[in-house]
Structures are given as C-alpha cells and as structure tokens.
Amino acid sequence: MPFWPSPISTRDVAGSGVRPSWPTARDGQVWWTEDRPDEGGRTTIVCRAADGTRRDLLPAPWCARTRVHEYGGRPYAVTPSGEVLFTNLKDQRLYILGENGEPKPLTPEGYRYADLLVHDGQVWCVREHHAEDGKVTRAIISIPLDGGGEPREWATGCDFYASPTISPDGQHLAYVCWNHPRMPWDGTELRITRLSGGDSWTVRGGPTESVLAPVWKDDSRLYLISDSSGWWNLHEIGLHGDGARAVYPASEEFMLPPWRLGGMPYTVLTDGRLAVLHGRGDLRLGLLDPTSGALTDLELPYTGWDASLIADGPSVVGIGYAATTPRSVVTVNTETGEHRPLKHDLTSLPDPAYLPIPRAVRVRASEIHAESPDDHAEVHAFLYPPYAPAAAEGPPPYVIFVHGGPTAHAGTSLDLEKAFLTSRGIGVLDVNYGGSTGYGRAYRDRLKGQWGLVDVEDTIAAARWLAAEGLADPAKIAVRGGSAGGWTVMAACCRSDVFAGGVSYYGVSALAPLVAHTHDFESRYVEALVGPEDPQVYATREPLALVDGVTCPMLLLQGLDDPVVPPEQSTAFADALSERGIPCTYLAFEGESHGFRRTETRVAALAAELAFYQQLFA
C-alpha cells in the first residue's frame, strides 16, 4: 500500500524526547531534568527561577543519571540554600554544584546513589555497591554535605531499599525494603529506624502486600500506599503500626509501578490536604481531604500524570500529559485551579489533525482465543485509528504495540511514534495485556507464572479482535515492542500466524541466559513470571526454543551497551531465524543501552521500522 503523505518525520519523532522529569519546587523556583538527544542523550538539570528565567545547570559532558537498579530514578536533590546535588552518569559519584556552577565531588568512586533526601546538613539516600565478585549490596546511608565526615549506614541487610524519609522532629527514619525474589509490586515492608538509638521495626507489609511511598503526616503518623485491598490505595498508620486506616478506599490505583527510585504519587499541601493521583489506566490529579475523605478532581487538560508530584505551598508541580498535549512540567495552584505549563517535551507540535485520539477498548479473551487460561479475562487496550486525509478504501493495516515491563502500563500520552504511523494510514492498538498495572492486583497477577502465555494470548486476541471487528486488514497486522514487549513480540510470532511481521527492540529471547547475566534488580524476576529454573518449562515459553513456529519477517533492534537485556538475546534469535530461512533484519547500535537516547539512533531505528512496514503492507 502507498503510505499517505505525513508532516511528521523521523527527525521530528527522534527530537521529541527531551523527557522532562523529576520536578522539585521551592518558593516559586522549579527544577527538573531534561534529556538532550542531540548531545549524545545526556541528561541535564534545569532551574526556572520565580521570575520565569530559566537556565541549564549542567554543561556538557556532565550527565545527571543514576544507575541504581540500572533503571535509575530521581538523580538529584536541592538543599535548603538552593545548592544542587546530583549523580553523574559516567562515574556515579555524587557531586554538589557550588556558587560558580562547577561540580565538586562529594563521594568516592565505586558506589551508586539514588533517592536523594537533604536533611540537617546531610544527604540521605540509597547506596548501591557492586563488588568485584559480582555481589551487589545496598543500604540507606547519610553523608555530610560539607564533606567533613564519613558516610553512616542506617539500614542494611535487605536486598533493596527505597523512599527514605525523615520525621518532622528528626527522630525517625522511615523507608521501604524488600528481598529477592520479590519485586516491589509483589511484597515490601515499611520500616522505621529510631535515629537516636538505631533500633528498627516493621510497621506494615510483607511477602504478599506491596507497601510503597511513605510520607510523614506528623511526628507520629505516616501516609503510605498499600495494595492490601487488591488496589494500590492511600492509607494512614501510626508510628508503631497502630490506628491503620484507608484514607480513601476505592477500586482504583493511587500508584504506578516503581521501576525507578524517587517517585511520589501524592504530596501534602500546606493546609493538610493531599494532591493525589488516582484512577484506572492513566491516573488523574485530585485533591483529597484526609479528614473527611472527600476527593475532588481538578479540571485540567491533562489526562495522566507521572508519579512525581511535589508541593510548593498551595501549589503542586508534576509531569502531566494528554493525547494532544505533550508531556509537560506543570504547576497547579490548588486554591485557584490555575495551571501553567513550564516546559514541554516537544518544541513544536504537528497539525493537531494528525494526532490520533485514543479510545479505550476491552477485548474478551475467551471470545477470540478459546485456549485462554482465564475464560473471563478482559484485555485492556487503547485504539488509535489512522487519520485519513481522504477516504481510504477497505480496512487499513495496523501495528499492535506491546509495552515493556511487563509490570508496566501503556498510557495515552501524546506519542509521535504512534502519530508517525497513524498519519501515514497505519492504525495502532496499544495493548495492556494481563500483568499490566492500572487495573488492580488481580489483573497484575494474571501474569504470575504465565509469562509467555497470557501476554502472548492477549496480544494475539487483540489482533484477532481487530480483524473480527473489521477495523484492520487481517493480512496486514504487525506487532512491535521493546524489552519484555520484545519477548512478547517474538513469542507471539512463534505461536501464531496472525501477524504479518514483528519488530523487537532489545527483546528477551531466552530465559537461562537472562537469569544468568541480567542485572541484580531483575535477576529473580523470572521466578515469579515463569517459575523456578527448569529447562523443560523454559523450552515451552522462550521464543528461541519456539523459533520453528515463526513464518513472518522480523526486524530486531539492539543497543550494544545494554546491561538489562544483553545483545546476545537478539543476535541468537536473529541467527536462528536466518538458519531457517525466515527474513530477518538485525540492527545493532554502539553506545546505546536499554532504551535509545541518541537522535541519530532513534532516526535510524524508526526509518528502518517504517521501511519494514512498507514492505509488509505493500
């Protein structure tokens, strides 16, 4: 098929990723991070003064990015006097920006730092150490900001730590911790350490309860997020676990999966109310009175928000988005409702007519795929029909997007990758397969022990639904995804002939090498997703063992510096396809990790993907 002419180019898409993230606010000043795709993908810190002037704080080659858990998180903090601390990507040391703007090292090499908190002349954080024998250890520590003392460990012995926070009176440290093989959405504990004595105790949580994001209400009580009801809801609890209550019990999520450290899905305003994120799928911004339990949504043009809210007096600052509004740093006055975008992900927008509007749809798996293990399961998805400048004959081709994670969520933010396709006459269906977040723990747990089955069956079901509804040409449906989404793409092409082709970005093809070589954070993840290591079970799930079932062409793209999914995962699958005579293109990119950041890489990858679809849908 000839593609329609589109005003959205590969460079438009590649240049859209400044990714404003991690806002901090104080007395009218706002800080955030921004990526620089045209500068090798480095990340800088931006400060907007109260008078509206804006400046970059980190010149090249400095890059504010932490590698704790490899996925990182909030890489900086601001002291009460306005000095900025940050983790530098190259050496992972903590630096402090002096008055002259020159970074000065605060820590030695050999450690990684994240979840930074400044309190009483010290920075409190999660420290990660990788020993020469490969052992990884973590602790919550404090480091004097003047560089005049040694770091002090406050919490040790667990595999993972997150969200250190100090009580208003400075007497107690609260934090979240968990151990292998659990992930933070499986089971965590909220613990408290008495700073004067060092004794600690567990307040809430356990192996089957995900407790996250503690914030002190006062010296003796905390807020937290718990999924004990089956949904990540906001709770309040006493210092010793007393007086626990759900602040607003609802069949909604008040949290996103904590893949990165330092996020916060709610914040306390000066009048005691809470600015919270809540909903199903995308989370909207509302005001919650913790005394009365009244929750009121703010009337804003943003349909979703990142879990990174921060209060500044009566205002709240966050990262909001919508289908036709780019991700933006936004400040909202909760008293007046006035909102002001401070920075957009895009410097310019295409004609809004070329931006697709998503429609939430549900597919009953049992209606499409009779072998589904859950006959009552509904598959959540967002439909993006192609924009037609002129009437087109017949149903169009479609590409099914499969998100990574797999404990993650496909939202409805403006995405020029989708618009790049829909403006050319190719529809998109973005699937939140079983295991995705945003729909409660039961939906999330559908994938436990079923990775390679439920995600694949839901994706195939979505493709068949497109054809059955007459929305797509059944001979022209492709599938694409990255990381865990790449696994699902490859497995779906192994298990079904419904797809005309598949595109995998840094996808997983084999389980034993993944378990043996991936990073510590996810090193036991496969146990929950598939089960204990068993070659016979692995052979029934992994794409490399099922490669004989592939009949369609495939495009595989991989960063050569990927510590999460090593390049061998893609090369092994590409070699296996080539040996069987299946058309396969493998593209590898030097200097790229798990997620492409450089403009030239993103341009080349998207151009290759478009050429692939042009051949498939001809």
Side-chain angles (χ1 to χ4, degrees):
M1 60 163 280
F3 286 172
W4 303 334
S6 170
I8 303 172
S9 69
T10 54
R11 186 155 290 275
D12 290 332
V13 179
S16 66
V18 299
R19 305 180 192 182
S21 301
W22 307 118
T24 296
R26 183 181 301 141
D27 300 326
Q29 288 194 88
V30 181
W31 296 260
W32 63 85
T33 62
E34 285 184 21
D35 287 358
R36 295 286 188 264
D38 291 332
E39 298 178 28
R42 76 180 189 93
T43 302
T44 187
I45 302 170
V46 178
C47 178
R48 183 187 185 276
D51 63 7
T53 57
R54 184 186 305 168
R55 62 192 179 98
D56 283 6
L57 301 183
L58 295 183
W62 295 98
C63 178
R65 197 180 309 152
T66 172
R67 289 188 59 190
V68 171
H69 294 183
E70 297 301 345
Y71 292 109
R74 181 184 293 272
Y76 76 100
V78 181
T79 72
S81 63
E83 293 180 301
V84 173
L85 298 159
F86 73 96
T87 297
N88 184 49
L89 175 64
K90 184 176 181 180
D91 57 13
Q92 289 296 289
R93 298 171 75 181
L94 276 180
Y95 288 79
I96 188 166
L97 288 175
E99 293 183 0
N100 62 357
E102 183 67 25
K104 298 183 298 183
L106 189 64
T107 59
E109 293 189 51
Y111 298 90
R112 304 177 183 184
Y113 306 89
D115 240 347
L116 310 180
L117 167 72
V118 177
H119 175 79
D120 194 27
Q122 301 183 87
V123 55
W124 301 68
C125 59
V126 176
R127 184 182 67 185
E128 181 179 276
H129 177 60
H130 293 245
E132 291 184 0
D133 63 2
K135 183 178 180 180
V136 182
T137 56
R138 299 175 184 86
I140 292 181
I141 67 166
S142 61
I143 306 168
L145 288 174
D146 60 8
E150 292 296 317
R152 178 172 178 178
E153 293 184 345
W154 292 96
T156 62
C158 290
D159 293 326
F160 302 98
Y161 292 94
S163 304
T165 179
I166 308 293
S167 60
D169 62 6
Q171 297 299 305
H172 296 95
L173 165 71
Y175 54 91
V176 172
C177 57
W178 68 98
N179 289 305
H180 283 305
R182 299 193 302 272
M183 299 296 281
W185 41 83
D186 296 325
T188 62
E189 295 180 6
L190 170 61
R191 289 187 183 174
I192 290 179
T193 294
R194 195 189 319 274
L195 297 182
S196 60
D199 56 315
S200 62
W201 59 91
T202 298
V203 176
R204 182 76 181 256
T208 60
E209 181 184 5
S210 175
V211 177
L212 303 166
V215 170
W216 289 93
K217 178 182 180 181
D218 52 37
D219 293 336
S220 62
R221 297 190 67 78
L222 302 98
Y223 295 114
L224 58 92
I225 301 291
S226 168
D227 70 352
S228 58
S229 68
W231 297 83
W232 271 321
N233 278 189
L234 187 66
H235 294 248
E236 181 184 323
I237 198 167
L239 186 64
H240 294 279
D242 53 298
R245 71 181 184 96
V247 180
Y248 188 86
S251 297
E252 295 183 352
E253 303 280 46
F254 285 68
M255 182 73 190
L256 296 172
W259 279 97
R260 298 188 293 170
L261 294 174
M264 186 55 61
Y266 66 99
T267 187
V268 183
L269 303 170
T270 50
D271 61 5
R273 292 181 300 165
L274 306 175
V276 302
L277 301 180
H278 72 105
R280 294 192 182 194
D282 288 334
L283 306 185
R284 56 193 180 275
L285 180 62
L287 297 179
L288 175 60
D289 184 331
T291 302
S292 67
L295 176 58
T296 305
D297 288 337
L298 295 168
E299 295 295 329
L300 299 167
Y302 306 98
T303 58
W305 296 78
D306 287 358
S308 57
L309 299 181
I310 187 76
D312 183 22
S315 295
V316 59
V317 182
I319 307 294
Y321 58 80
T324 57
T325 302
R327 286 169 48 86
S328 307
V329 181
V330 183
T331 179
V332 181
N333 187 313
T334 61
E335 294 177 341
T336 66
E338 178 186 2
H339 71 279
R340 178 187 306 166
L342 306 182
K343 174 65 180 181
H344 296 305
D345 191 34
L346 303 174
T347 55
S348 61
L349 279 175
D351 184 336
Y354 287 90
L355 299 178
I357 304 299
R359 176 166 64 92
V361 298
R362 295 183 184 183
V363 178
R364 289 193 63 82
S366 60
E367 294 176 2
I368 304 299
H369 192 60
E371 299 176 5
S372 172
D374 183 353
D375 289 338
H376 302 289
E378 286 187 319
V379 184
H380 297 268
F382 293 106
L383 183 72
Y384 296 82
Y387 165 71
E393 294 184 4
Y398 259 79
V399 176
I400 291 183
F401 278 41
V402 185
H403 68 72
T407 310
H409 174 74
T412 58
S413 61
L414 191 157
D415 183 353
L416 283 190
E417 281 191 343
K418 294 187 179 74
F420 180 82
L421 297 177
T422 58
S423 63
R424 286 171 167 79
I426 302 173
V428 170
L429 184 68
D430 210 354
V431 178
N432 277 311
Y433 50 83
S436 301
T437 55
Y439 306 102
R441 178 145 188 163
Y443 195 78
R444 199 164 78 233
D445 284 350
R446 283 188 63 220
L447 203 59
K448 280 199 169 185
Q450 299 293 312
W451 195 37
L453 298 177
V454 164
D455 54 319
V456 171
E457 291 166 354
D458 285 358
T459 302
I460 294 171
R464 291 178 173 168
W465 175 83
L466 280 173
E469 292 291 312
L471 297 170
D473 183 334
K476 296 180 179 180
I477 300 175
V479 59
R480 63 100 76 175
S483 190
W487 153 281
T488 304
V489 165
M490 288 186 277
C493 291
C494 291
R495 291 182 176 275
S496 173
D497 60 0
V498 71
F499 298 108
V503 179
S504 169
Y505 283 78
Y506 32 86
V508 176
S509 68
L511 292 173
L514 179 71
V515 171
H517 299 295
T518 196
H519 60 126
D520 182 64
F521 178 59
E522 291 184 278
S523 61
R524 305 283 295 277
Y525 196 17
V526 171
E527 288 185 32
L529 294 172
V530 178
E533 187 166 356
D534 184 331
Q536 291 184 332
V537 174
Y538 282 8
T540 67
R541 304 288 184 86
E542 60 188 16
L544 192 59
L546 303 172
V547 68
D548 285 344
V550 179
T551 59
C552 63
M554 301 202 69
L555 170 65
L556 309 180
L557 305 103
Q558 177 71 47
L560 292 179
D561 295 339
D562 192 337
V564 178
V565 179
E568 291 77 15
Q569 293 276 344
S570 291
T571 56
F573 197 70
D575 290 344
L577 290 175
S578 297
E579 289 175 4
R580 289 156 177 79
I582 302 299
C584 176
T585 300
Y586 171 65
L587 299 178
F589 299 95
E590 295 277 358
E592 290 289 2
S593 182
H594 199 67
F596 299 159
R597 290 181 175 269
R598 299 176 178 178
T599 296
E600 59 271 23
T601 301
R602 299 174 71 188
V603 167
L606 191 58
E609 192 173 350
L610 180 63
F612 181 73
Y613 296 141
Q614 181 75 69
Q615 293 178 338
L616 287 185
F617 303 148

